Amino acid sequence: MMIALPLLAAMEMGRIPVVVLLIYMAVLLGLGVLGYLKSRSSEEDYYLAGRGQGVLVTVLTIMATFFSSAAMLGIPGLIYRDGTAFLFFALNLPVSGAAIYFIGSRVRRIGQARGYVTPGDLVADYYGGSRLLRMLVALVGFLYVIPYIIMQIKAGGYLAQRLFPDAAGLTVFGQEYGVFELGTIALSVLTMLYVLIGGMRSVAWTDVIQGVLLLSGMLVAGLATVMAMGGVSEYFTAVRSLPSEALSLPGVSGAWSPWKLLTICIFASLSTMIQPGQWMRYYAARSSQTLKRSALIFATVLPGCFLFGVMLVGLGAHVLYPPALVDGTLMPHEMIGATAGDFDQVVVAMLQEHIPLLLGVGFGAVMVSIILVSVMAASMSTADSNLHALSAVLTRDIYDRFIRPQASERERAWFGRGVIVVATLLALWLVGLGSAPGEFNPLTMIASLMFVAMAFSGQLVPLAIDCLFLRKGTTTGAICGISSGILVVLFFTPFPAMIAGDGIASSWTGLTKLLSGLFDIGFCGAVVNTLVFVVVSRFTRPLPAEHIAAFARDADG
Amino acid sequence: MGAGPGLYLVNDYAAGGGTLLGMPALYAWAVGWCAVESGVIIAAYLTVWKSES
């Protein structure tokens, strides 16, 4: 059954989006300044807010860091493209919640006891203070953070295009900036500013506002879609009438086998929960009880927001605006977007078309603006945490250890702020490259970036499990394991082909395509990582027993 | 069972437009397994997870 609804091709939203956006930005900057005023001038305070965050701040900052533009744009985009198959992504959320308790509590305990700030502090300290291992852990963090920041910034561009479709661009020093570019610049500069000003305290406080906004935005978006289609019964009747490939695995694009979904749900959740931004949130929590409660809230609230919220938008759009094969490529409906990468725009397009019809143009415009700001909140709350974490990782694990070990705390603080500025500019530049037609653009959809980033981060999982729970590995084993995991994941990205050329690359792309069709790519890397780690550890010098015992006392409590 | 090979139990039925509790079968399967996972976390929180001050 196809539901016919009148469409508002260009909704007159007037100045409402501008006003809502300005209020939102002013609140964020205000919280940034407040965070600065409450801060103490120490490195630990800038990066961990004095290790005193309570349940409300901890759970909302973990949620807001977890929920990025991928949650609000990328995942609904995949459901719009593939149908019900990708709904099973939601099953990673309770697993992630459990990880907050099992991993987070131990990380917090030992971090508190030994004054750790970054993941590298813990891992390198356990494996005998290895500088090479610290560098590899920092590299994994970097490879996670940069793609994640890029996709948040891209979301800013999409939103600007949708909110201000008729806005003229700007010409600065002879360089023309379109609405997309201006959106990316606005989002990244604002985020950069409040991270620079107040560090973890500002990031966490803004995450509270952004977390509430995005959770409500997800639910309201789902509710609006169901109402626009005539109510719950009519919605599910319409969905049931979809073609069989949209109602079953492996989905319309054929991408989702049960094993792939299983490995994503188990492995991607762990990868996301041990990335540097989340790891530092465990250090910053006031107590293990704080993390225990956060785990419970996370595992019960978030699946509801996905399954009864934003995921319904993607499925509803598949009914209203079915994707179609054009010259062998699966493309979104013209109402949603014009390129294969535009599946991401489904939430924004759906809301703009249908909310005004439900609520009237005036109130509808306010609601659309608020929900679109919640999409922006999802992006900014992840970008800020990642920028902040990257600053800590590069300052403590690289600058302080390899470049200027004699640097004062004040010098390190300035270097950390410099990292935030440089990382923002680098991400903006990469987004610019990716949006230029006909040039470098290996990953068009936000969700693709998400899976690559998680795959790199996931290479820390075997080491984290070993040093927090098993304590059987050796330093050499850990170094060999994580290096091989990073290399394997790298082979799943377009970069080796760009370096080696298509001729040489074709020898392995067949294998990587086969494997990535069957499993999560991070899982593939982690299998090799774990095997190498175990085998090399078997034949190399173990860590001193007293060192392991002392570590265990601090971690186990 | 939830997101893994257990999906083969329901996939053919879902492909034919089958429903569970009025919802498309795969959607209902996802909601059901999410409820099971969340239920396990709630039970663990109340009974197993170690409390500390």
Side-chain angles (χ1 to χ4, degrees), chain A residues 84 87-88 90-91 94 98 101-102 109 236 239-240 244 247-249 258-259 261-262 288 292-293 299-300 303 307-308 312 556, chain B residues 2-5 7-8 11 14-15 17-19 22-24 26-27 29-31 33-34 37-38 41-42 45 49-52:
Chain A
T84 49
L87 288 171
F88 286 87
L91 267 69
Y101 174 72
F102 285 110
R109 251 193 316 264
F236 283 121
V239 170
R240 281 205 306 268
S244 64
L247 291 173
S248 59
L249 269 59
W259 289 106
L261 287 168
L262 181 67
S288 290
K292 182 176 155 182
R293 288 183 180 149
T300 51
L307 285 167
F308 303 118
L312 296 178
D556 299 345
Chain B
L7 277 166
Y8 289 121
N11 199 41
T19 60
M23 294 179 274
L26 229 49
Y27 180 83
W29 193 256
V31 171
W33 278 105
C34 243
E37 286 186 3
S38 299
I41 304 274
I42 293 169
Y45 175 85
W49 288 357
K50 192 169 97 179
S51 283
E52 61 179 79

Short mmCIF file of all heavy atoms in Angstrom, two decimals, chain A residues 84 87-88 90-91 94 98 101-102 109 236 239-240 244 247-249 258-259 261-262 288 292-293 299-300 303 307-308 312 556, chain B residues 2-5 7-8 11 14-15 17-19 22-24 26-27 29-31 33-34 37-38 41-42 45 49-52:
data_model
loop_
_atom_site.label_atom_id
_atom_site.label_comp_id
_atom_site.label_asym_id
_atom_site.label_seq_id
_atom_site.Cartn_x
_atom_site.Cartn_y
_atom_site.Cartn_z
N THR A 84 13.96 -3.42 7.19
CA THR A 84 13.98 -3.85 8.59
C THR A 84 15.29 -4.53 9.01
O THR A 84 15.56 -4.62 10.20
CB THR A 84 12.83 -4.85 8.86
OG1 THR A 84 12.87 -5.85 7.85
CG2 THR A 84 11.49 -4.18 8.84
N LEU A 87 17.49 -2.86 11.58
CA LEU A 87 16.94 -2.57 12.90
C LEU A 87 17.72 -3.29 14.00
O LEU A 87 17.77 -2.85 15.15
CB LEU A 87 15.49 -3.07 12.98
CG LEU A 87 14.43 -2.29 12.21
CD1 LEU A 87 13.13 -3.07 12.22
CD2 LEU A 87 14.23 -0.93 12.84
N PHE A 88 18.35 -4.40 13.62
CA PHE A 88 19.03 -5.21 14.63
C PHE A 88 20.28 -4.54 15.17
O PHE A 88 20.85 -5.00 16.15
CB PHE A 88 19.33 -6.60 14.06
CG PHE A 88 18.09 -7.42 13.99
CD1 PHE A 88 17.27 -7.36 12.88
CD2 PHE A 88 17.68 -8.18 15.07
CE1 PHE A 88 16.09 -8.05 12.83
CE2 PHE A 88 16.49 -8.88 15.02
CZ PHE A 88 15.69 -8.82 13.91
N ALA A 90 20.13 -2.03 16.81
CA ALA A 90 19.73 -1.58 18.15
C ALA A 90 20.13 -2.57 19.24
O ALA A 90 20.24 -2.20 20.41
CB ALA A 90 18.22 -1.35 18.20
N LEU A 91 20.37 -3.81 18.87
CA LEU A 91 20.73 -4.80 19.88
C LEU A 91 22.14 -4.61 20.42
O LEU A 91 22.54 -5.29 21.37
CB LEU A 91 20.56 -6.22 19.32
CG LEU A 91 19.19 -6.85 19.59
CD1 LEU A 91 18.09 -6.16 18.81
CD2 LEU A 91 19.19 -8.32 19.29
N PRO A 94 22.12 -2.58 24.57
CA PRO A 94 22.27 -3.19 25.90
C PRO A 94 23.68 -3.74 26.14
O PRO A 94 24.20 -3.68 27.26
CB PRO A 94 21.22 -4.31 25.89
CG PRO A 94 20.21 -3.87 24.89
CD PRO A 94 20.99 -3.17 23.83
N ALA A 98 26.20 -2.81 29.22
CA ALA A 98 26.93 -3.75 30.08
C ALA A 98 28.41 -3.41 30.10
O ALA A 98 29.08 -3.52 31.14
CB ALA A 98 26.71 -5.17 29.59
N TYR A 101 29.53 -0.94 32.67
CA TYR A 101 29.74 -1.48 34.01
C TYR A 101 31.03 -2.31 34.07
O TYR A 101 31.90 -2.07 34.90
CB TYR A 101 28.55 -2.33 34.45
CG TYR A 101 28.80 -3.01 35.77
CD1 TYR A 101 28.82 -2.29 36.95
CD2 TYR A 101 29.10 -4.36 35.82
CE1 TYR A 101 29.10 -2.89 38.17
CE2 TYR A 101 29.39 -4.98 37.03
CZ TYR A 101 29.39 -4.24 38.20
OH TYR A 101 29.68 -4.85 39.39
N PHE A 102 31.14 -3.28 33.17
CA PHE A 102 32.25 -4.24 33.29
C PHE A 102 33.60 -3.58 33.01
O PHE A 102 34.55 -3.77 33.76
CB PHE A 102 32.03 -5.42 32.33
CG PHE A 102 30.99 -6.36 32.82
CD1 PHE A 102 29.76 -6.46 32.18
CD2 PHE A 102 31.21 -7.15 33.93
CE1 PHE A 102 28.78 -7.32 32.65
CE2 PHE A 102 30.23 -8.02 34.41
CZ PHE A 102 29.02 -8.10 33.77
N ARG A 109 38.38 2.63 38.55
CA ARG A 109 39.06 2.31 39.81
C ARG A 109 40.57 2.45 39.69
O ARG A 109 41.21 3.11 40.52
CB ARG A 109 38.72 0.87 40.21
CG ARG A 109 37.78 0.80 41.42
CD ARG A 109 37.68 -0.58 42.01
NE ARG A 109 37.53 -1.63 41.04
CZ ARG A 109 36.38 -2.18 40.67
NH1 ARG A 109 35.25 -1.73 41.18
NH2 ARG A 109 36.33 -3.16 39.80
N PHE A 236 2.06 0.32 10.64
CA PHE A 236 2.56 -1.05 10.49
C PHE A 236 1.88 -1.77 9.31
O PHE A 236 2.50 -2.63 8.68
CB PHE A 236 2.41 -1.83 11.79
CG PHE A 236 3.47 -1.45 12.80
CD1 PHE A 236 3.13 -0.94 14.04
CD2 PHE A 236 4.82 -1.58 12.49
CE1 PHE A 236 4.11 -0.58 14.95
CE2 PHE A 236 5.80 -1.22 13.40
CZ PHE A 236 5.45 -0.72 14.63
N VAL A 239 3.92 -0.67 6.43
CA VAL A 239 5.26 -1.29 6.43
C VAL A 239 5.16 -2.76 6.00
O VAL A 239 6.02 -3.25 5.26
CB VAL A 239 5.92 -1.15 7.82
CG1 VAL A 239 7.19 -1.99 7.91
CG2 VAL A 239 6.26 0.31 8.10
N ARG A 240 4.11 -3.43 6.46
CA ARG A 240 3.96 -4.85 6.11
C ARG A 240 3.83 -5.07 4.60
O ARG A 240 4.11 -6.15 4.10
CB ARG A 240 2.71 -5.44 6.79
CG ARG A 240 2.90 -5.78 8.24
CD ARG A 240 1.92 -6.85 8.68
NE ARG A 240 0.53 -6.53 8.40
CZ ARG A 240 -0.29 -5.91 9.23
NH1 ARG A 240 0.17 -5.51 10.40
NH2 ARG A 240 -1.54 -5.67 8.92
N SER A 244 9.40 -7.94 -0.18
CA SER A 244 9.96 -8.89 0.79
C SER A 244 11.42 -8.57 1.15
O SER A 244 11.85 -8.78 2.29
CB SER A 244 9.85 -10.31 0.26
OG SER A 244 10.63 -10.44 -0.89
N LEU A 247 11.71 -6.42 4.07
CA LEU A 247 11.17 -6.95 5.32
C LEU A 247 12.02 -8.09 5.87
O LEU A 247 11.68 -8.68 6.89
CB LEU A 247 9.75 -7.48 5.08
CG LEU A 247 8.69 -6.42 4.79
CD1 LEU A 247 7.37 -7.08 4.40
CD2 LEU A 247 8.48 -5.52 6.00
N SER A 248 13.10 -8.41 5.20
CA SER A 248 13.88 -9.57 5.64
C SER A 248 15.36 -9.34 5.39
O SER A 248 15.76 -8.36 4.76
CB SER A 248 13.42 -10.81 4.86
OG SER A 248 13.60 -10.59 3.47
N LEU A 249 16.16 -10.26 5.90
CA LEU A 249 17.61 -10.22 5.66
C LEU A 249 17.93 -10.83 4.29
O LEU A 249 17.21 -11.73 3.86
CB LEU A 249 18.32 -11.03 6.74
CG LEU A 249 18.76 -10.28 7.99
CD1 LEU A 249 17.58 -9.64 8.68
CD2 LEU A 249 19.50 -11.19 8.94
N PRO A 258 23.01 -12.45 9.00
CA PRO A 258 22.90 -12.57 10.46
C PRO A 258 24.26 -12.53 11.16
O PRO A 258 24.39 -11.92 12.22
CB PRO A 258 22.23 -13.93 10.64
CG PRO A 258 21.47 -14.16 9.39
CD PRO A 258 22.28 -13.52 8.31
N TRP A 259 25.29 -13.15 10.56
CA TRP A 259 26.60 -13.14 11.21
C TRP A 259 27.20 -11.75 11.25
O TRP A 259 27.86 -11.36 12.21
CB TRP A 259 27.55 -14.11 10.49
CG TRP A 259 27.18 -15.53 10.75
CD1 TRP A 259 26.58 -16.40 9.88
CD2 TRP A 259 27.33 -16.25 11.98
NE1 TRP A 259 26.35 -17.60 10.49
CE2 TRP A 259 26.81 -17.55 11.78
CE3 TRP A 259 27.85 -15.91 13.23
CZ2 TRP A 259 26.79 -18.51 12.78
CZ3 TRP A 259 27.84 -16.88 14.23
CH2 TRP A 259 27.32 -18.16 14.00
N LEU A 261 25.48 -8.96 11.37
CA LEU A 261 24.75 -8.21 12.40
C LEU A 261 25.20 -8.64 13.80
O LEU A 261 25.36 -7.80 14.70
CB LEU A 261 23.25 -8.42 12.24
CG LEU A 261 22.62 -7.71 11.04
CD1 LEU A 261 21.21 -8.20 10.78
CD2 LEU A 261 22.61 -6.19 11.25
N LEU A 262 25.43 -9.93 13.96
CA LEU A 262 25.86 -10.43 15.27
C LEU A 262 27.22 -9.84 15.66
O LEU A 262 27.41 -9.36 16.78
CB LEU A 262 25.93 -11.96 15.26
CG LEU A 262 26.33 -12.60 16.59
CD1 LEU A 262 25.25 -12.38 17.64
CD2 LEU A 262 26.59 -14.09 16.43
N SER A 288 32.18 3.96 41.24
CA SER A 288 31.73 2.82 40.46
C SER A 288 30.20 2.73 40.47
O SER A 288 29.59 2.27 39.51
CB SER A 288 32.32 1.52 41.01
OG SER A 288 33.69 1.50 40.75
N LYS A 292 27.65 2.14 37.43
CA LYS A 292 26.67 1.05 37.48
C LYS A 292 25.28 1.58 37.12
O LYS A 292 24.56 1.00 36.31
CB LYS A 292 26.69 0.45 38.89
CG LYS A 292 25.77 -0.73 39.09
CD LYS A 292 25.97 -1.26 40.51
CE LYS A 292 24.71 -1.99 40.98
NZ LYS A 292 24.84 -2.47 42.35
N ARG A 293 24.93 2.70 37.72
CA ARG A 293 23.62 3.29 37.41
C ARG A 293 23.57 3.79 35.97
O ARG A 293 22.54 3.67 35.29
CB ARG A 293 23.32 4.44 38.38
CG ARG A 293 23.01 3.93 39.76
CD ARG A 293 22.64 5.04 40.71
NE ARG A 293 22.37 4.48 42.03
CZ ARG A 293 22.59 5.10 43.17
NH1 ARG A 293 23.11 6.31 43.17
NH2 ARG A 293 22.32 4.52 44.32
N ALA A 299 21.33 1.10 29.08
CA ALA A 299 20.85 -0.15 28.46
C ALA A 299 19.33 -0.21 28.34
O ALA A 299 18.82 -0.99 27.54
CB ALA A 299 21.35 -1.34 29.28
N THR A 300 18.63 0.58 29.10
CA THR A 300 17.17 0.49 29.05
C THR A 300 16.52 1.65 28.28
O THR A 300 15.51 1.45 27.62
CB THR A 300 16.58 0.44 30.47
OG1 THR A 300 17.12 1.51 31.24
CG2 THR A 300 16.89 -0.87 31.15
N PRO A 303 17.70 1.77 23.76
CA PRO A 303 17.02 0.93 22.76
C PRO A 303 15.62 1.43 22.43
O PRO A 303 15.20 1.38 21.27
CB PRO A 303 16.96 -0.45 23.45
CG PRO A 303 18.07 -0.44 24.42
CD PRO A 303 18.18 0.98 24.90
N LEU A 307 14.37 2.10 18.71
CA LEU A 307 13.35 1.24 18.09
C LEU A 307 11.98 1.90 18.00
O LEU A 307 11.20 1.63 17.10
CB LEU A 307 13.25 -0.07 18.88
CG LEU A 307 14.40 -1.05 18.63
CD1 LEU A 307 14.40 -2.16 19.66
CD2 LEU A 307 14.32 -1.63 17.22
N PHE A 308 11.66 2.76 18.98
CA PHE A 308 10.35 3.44 18.94
C PHE A 308 10.51 4.90 18.53
O PHE A 308 9.58 5.68 18.63
CB PHE A 308 9.65 3.35 20.30
CG PHE A 308 9.48 1.92 20.76
CD1 PHE A 308 10.09 1.47 21.91
CD2 PHE A 308 8.75 1.03 19.99
CE1 PHE A 308 9.96 0.15 22.31
CE2 PHE A 308 8.61 -0.30 20.39
CZ PHE A 308 9.21 -0.74 21.55
N LEU A 312 11.98 4.34 13.26
CA LEU A 312 10.68 4.33 12.59
C LEU A 312 10.64 5.32 11.42
O LEU A 312 9.87 5.16 10.48
CB LEU A 312 9.56 4.67 13.58
CG LEU A 312 9.34 3.66 14.72
CD1 LEU A 312 8.25 4.13 15.66
CD2 LEU A 312 9.01 2.28 14.17
N ASP A 556 40.87 -4.46 40.56
CA ASP A 556 39.77 -5.27 41.06
C ASP A 556 39.12 -4.67 42.31
O ASP A 556 37.99 -5.02 42.67
CB ASP A 556 40.25 -6.70 41.37
CG ASP A 556 40.79 -7.37 40.11
OD1 ASP A 556 40.52 -6.87 39.01
OD2 ASP A 556 41.49 -8.39 40.23
N GLY B 2 19.28 -13.27 19.00
CA GLY B 2 18.67 -11.99 18.61
C GLY B 2 19.12 -11.49 17.26
O GLY B 2 18.34 -11.46 16.30
N ALA B 3 20.40 -11.13 17.18
CA ALA B 3 20.89 -10.60 15.90
C ALA B 3 21.71 -11.62 15.14
O ALA B 3 22.26 -11.31 14.10
CB ALA B 3 21.76 -9.38 16.18
N GLY B 4 21.80 -12.84 15.62
CA GLY B 4 22.65 -13.83 14.99
C GLY B 4 21.87 -14.83 14.15
O GLY B 4 20.82 -14.50 13.59
N PRO B 5 22.39 -16.07 14.09
CA PRO B 5 21.76 -17.08 13.24
C PRO B 5 20.32 -17.40 13.64
O PRO B 5 19.58 -17.98 12.83
CB PRO B 5 22.66 -18.30 13.41
CG PRO B 5 23.64 -17.98 14.45
CD PRO B 5 23.63 -16.54 14.73
N LEU B 7 18.08 -15.54 13.63
CA LEU B 7 17.23 -14.79 12.69
C LEU B 7 16.68 -15.69 11.58
O LEU B 7 15.63 -15.41 11.00
CB LEU B 7 18.04 -13.66 12.06
CG LEU B 7 18.13 -12.38 12.89
CD1 LEU B 7 19.21 -11.48 12.35
CD2 LEU B 7 16.80 -11.66 12.88
N TYR B 8 17.40 -16.80 11.30
CA TYR B 8 16.90 -17.71 10.25
C TYR B 8 15.56 -18.34 10.64
O TYR B 8 14.81 -18.78 9.79
CB TYR B 8 17.94 -18.81 9.98
CG TYR B 8 19.17 -18.30 9.26
CD1 TYR B 8 20.43 -18.42 9.81
CD2 TYR B 8 19.06 -17.69 8.01
CE1 TYR B 8 21.55 -17.95 9.15
CE2 TYR B 8 20.17 -17.22 7.34
CZ TYR B 8 21.42 -17.35 7.91
OH TYR B 8 22.53 -16.87 7.25
N ASN B 11 13.19 -15.39 9.47
CA ASN B 11 13.43 -14.58 8.27
C ASN B 11 12.48 -14.91 7.11
O ASN B 11 11.93 -13.99 6.48
CB ASN B 11 14.88 -14.73 7.82
CG ASN B 11 15.30 -13.61 6.90
OD1 ASN B 11 14.94 -12.45 7.12
ND2 ASN B 11 16.02 -13.94 5.85
N ALA B 14 9.14 -13.56 7.84
CA ALA B 14 9.15 -12.09 7.69
C ALA B 14 9.12 -11.69 6.22
O ALA B 14 8.42 -10.74 5.84
CB ALA B 14 10.38 -11.51 8.37
N ALA B 15 9.87 -12.41 5.40
CA ALA B 15 9.94 -12.06 3.97
C ALA B 15 8.58 -12.18 3.30
O ALA B 15 8.27 -11.45 2.36
CB ALA B 15 10.94 -12.97 3.26
N GLY B 17 5.85 -11.26 4.53
CA GLY B 17 4.93 -10.27 5.08
C GLY B 17 4.31 -10.71 6.40
O GLY B 17 3.33 -10.12 6.87
N GLY B 18 4.92 -11.73 7.04
CA GLY B 18 4.39 -12.23 8.30
C GLY B 18 4.47 -11.21 9.43
O GLY B 18 5.32 -10.31 9.40
N THR B 19 3.58 -11.37 10.40
CA THR B 19 3.57 -10.41 11.51
C THR B 19 3.64 -11.13 12.84
O THR B 19 3.27 -12.29 12.96
CB THR B 19 2.28 -9.56 11.50
OG1 THR B 19 1.16 -10.44 11.62
CG2 THR B 19 2.16 -8.75 10.22
N GLY B 22 1.03 -7.92 15.47
CA GLY B 22 0.60 -6.83 14.59
C GLY B 22 1.74 -6.06 13.94
O GLY B 22 1.50 -5.15 13.15
N MET B 23 2.97 -6.43 14.29
CA MET B 23 4.12 -5.71 13.73
C MET B 23 4.82 -6.62 12.71
O MET B 23 4.73 -7.86 12.84
CB MET B 23 5.12 -5.36 14.83
CG MET B 23 4.58 -4.37 15.84
SD MET B 23 5.79 -4.00 17.13
CE MET B 23 5.49 -5.31 18.30
N PRO B 24 5.52 -6.04 11.74
CA PRO B 24 6.31 -6.89 10.84
C PRO B 24 7.21 -7.80 11.68
O PRO B 24 7.78 -7.36 12.68
CB PRO B 24 7.13 -5.89 10.03
CG PRO B 24 6.36 -4.62 10.09
CD PRO B 24 5.68 -4.61 11.42
N LEU B 26 10.18 -9.12 11.63
CA LEU B 26 11.57 -8.79 11.97
C LEU B 26 11.64 -7.64 12.98
O LEU B 26 12.49 -7.63 13.86
CB LEU B 26 12.34 -8.43 10.69
CG LEU B 26 13.68 -9.12 10.49
CD1 LEU B 26 13.61 -10.62 10.68
CD2 LEU B 26 14.26 -8.80 9.14
N TYR B 27 10.73 -6.68 12.83
CA TYR B 27 10.69 -5.56 13.78
C TYR B 27 10.33 -6.08 15.17
O TYR B 27 10.98 -5.74 16.17
CB TYR B 27 9.67 -4.52 13.31
CG TYR B 27 9.55 -3.32 14.22
CD1 TYR B 27 10.45 -2.27 14.12
CD2 TYR B 27 8.55 -3.24 15.17
CE1 TYR B 27 10.36 -1.17 14.96
CE2 TYR B 27 8.44 -2.15 16.02
CZ TYR B 27 9.35 -1.11 15.91
OH TYR B 27 9.25 -0.03 16.75
N TRP B 29 10.74 -9.05 16.29
CA TRP B 29 11.86 -9.89 16.75
C TRP B 29 12.94 -9.00 17.38
O TRP B 29 13.47 -9.31 18.44
CB TRP B 29 12.41 -10.68 15.56
CG TRP B 29 13.35 -11.79 15.88
CD1 TRP B 29 14.70 -11.78 15.72
CD2 TRP B 29 13.02 -13.11 16.34
NE1 TRP B 29 15.24 -12.99 16.07
CE2 TRP B 29 14.23 -13.83 16.45
CE3 TRP B 29 11.83 -13.74 16.69
CZ2 TRP B 29 14.29 -15.16 16.89
CZ3 TRP B 29 11.89 -15.07 17.11
CH2 TRP B 29 13.10 -15.76 17.21
N ALA B 30 13.23 -7.89 16.73
CA ALA B 30 14.25 -6.96 17.26
C ALA B 30 13.78 -6.35 18.59
O ALA B 30 14.56 -6.29 19.55
CB ALA B 30 14.53 -5.85 16.25
N VAL B 31 12.53 -5.93 18.64
CA VAL B 31 12.01 -5.33 19.88
C VAL B 31 12.05 -6.37 21.00
O VAL B 31 12.48 -6.09 22.13
CB VAL B 31 10.57 -4.82 19.67
CG1 VAL B 31 9.95 -4.40 21.00
CG2 VAL B 31 10.56 -3.64 18.70
N TRP B 33 13.95 -9.09 21.40
CA TRP B 33 15.30 -9.41 21.87
C TRP B 33 15.95 -8.25 22.61
O TRP B 33 16.73 -8.46 23.54
CB TRP B 33 16.17 -9.91 20.73
CG TRP B 33 15.89 -11.36 20.48
CD1 TRP B 33 15.18 -11.91 19.46
CD2 TRP B 33 16.25 -12.46 21.33
NE1 TRP B 33 15.09 -13.27 19.60
CE2 TRP B 33 15.74 -13.64 20.74
CE3 TRP B 33 16.95 -12.57 22.53
CZ2 TRP B 33 15.90 -14.90 21.31
CZ3 TRP B 33 17.13 -13.83 23.09
CH2 TRP B 33 16.61 -14.98 22.49
N CYS B 34 15.61 -7.04 22.20
CA CYS B 34 16.11 -5.88 22.95
C CYS B 34 15.54 -5.89 24.36
O CYS B 34 16.25 -5.59 25.33
CB CYS B 34 15.70 -4.58 22.25
SG CYS B 34 17.10 -3.66 21.69
N GLU B 37 17.45 -8.49 26.36
CA GLU B 37 18.79 -8.00 26.74
C GLU B 37 18.70 -6.97 27.86
O GLU B 37 19.45 -7.04 28.84
CB GLU B 37 19.49 -7.38 25.53
CG GLU B 37 19.98 -8.40 24.52
CD GLU B 37 20.79 -7.76 23.40
OE1 GLU B 37 21.02 -6.53 23.43
OE2 GLU B 37 21.20 -8.49 22.49
N SER B 38 17.76 -6.04 27.71
CA SER B 38 17.61 -5.01 28.74
C SER B 38 17.16 -5.65 30.05
O SER B 38 17.59 -5.23 31.14
CB SER B 38 16.61 -3.94 28.30
OG SER B 38 17.07 -3.32 27.14
N ILE B 41 20.06 -7.03 31.87
CA ILE B 41 20.86 -5.96 32.53
C ILE B 41 20.16 -5.52 33.82
O ILE B 41 20.82 -5.32 34.85
CB ILE B 41 21.02 -4.75 31.58
CG1 ILE B 41 21.64 -5.16 30.25
CG2 ILE B 41 21.81 -3.64 32.25
CD1 ILE B 41 23.10 -5.22 30.17
N ILE B 42 18.84 -5.37 33.77
CA ILE B 42 18.12 -4.95 34.97
C ILE B 42 18.29 -6.00 36.08
O ILE B 42 18.57 -5.67 37.23
CB ILE B 42 16.61 -4.73 34.66
CG1 ILE B 42 16.45 -3.54 33.72
CG2 ILE B 42 15.82 -4.50 35.95
CD1 ILE B 42 15.05 -3.40 33.14
N TYR B 45 21.76 -5.83 37.45
CA TYR B 45 21.92 -4.62 38.28
C TYR B 45 21.36 -4.86 39.68
O TYR B 45 21.95 -4.47 40.69
CB TYR B 45 21.19 -3.46 37.61
CG TYR B 45 21.17 -2.19 38.44
CD1 TYR B 45 22.22 -1.30 38.39
CD2 TYR B 45 20.09 -1.88 39.26
CE1 TYR B 45 22.21 -0.14 39.14
CE2 TYR B 45 20.06 -0.73 40.01
CZ TYR B 45 21.13 0.15 39.95
OH TYR B 45 21.12 1.30 40.69
N TRP B 49 25.57 -7.51 40.06
CA TRP B 49 26.64 -6.53 39.97
C TRP B 49 27.06 -6.07 41.36
O TRP B 49 26.21 -5.71 42.19
CB TRP B 49 26.22 -5.33 39.11
CG TRP B 49 26.16 -5.68 37.66
CD1 TRP B 49 26.49 -6.88 37.09
CD2 TRP B 49 25.73 -4.83 36.60
NE1 TRP B 49 26.30 -6.82 35.73
CE2 TRP B 49 25.83 -5.58 35.40
CE3 TRP B 49 25.27 -3.53 36.53
CZ2 TRP B 49 25.50 -5.06 34.16
CZ3 TRP B 49 24.94 -2.99 35.30
CH2 TRP B 49 25.05 -3.75 34.12
N LYS B 50 28.37 -6.04 41.53
CA LYS B 50 28.92 -5.72 42.85
C LYS B 50 28.68 -4.24 43.20
O LYS B 50 28.94 -3.36 42.40
CB LYS B 50 30.43 -5.99 42.82
CG LYS B 50 31.09 -6.00 44.15
CD LYS B 50 32.51 -6.54 44.02
CE LYS B 50 33.52 -5.42 43.91
NZ LYS B 50 34.89 -5.88 43.81
N SER B 51 28.20 -4.03 44.40
CA SER B 51 28.04 -2.64 44.87
C SER B 51 29.27 -2.26 45.66
O SER B 51 29.87 -3.08 46.33
CB SER B 51 26.83 -2.53 45.78
OG SER B 51 25.67 -2.52 45.03
N GLU B 52 29.65 -1.03 45.54
CA GLU B 52 30.74 -0.55 46.39
C GLU B 52 30.53 0.91 46.70
O GLU B 52 29.82 1.61 45.99
CB GLU B 52 32.09 -0.76 45.71
CG GLU B 52 32.23 -0.02 44.41
CD GLU B 52 33.59 -0.25 43.80
OE1 GLU B 52 33.80 -1.29 43.20
OE2 GLU B 52 34.42 0.64 43.95
#
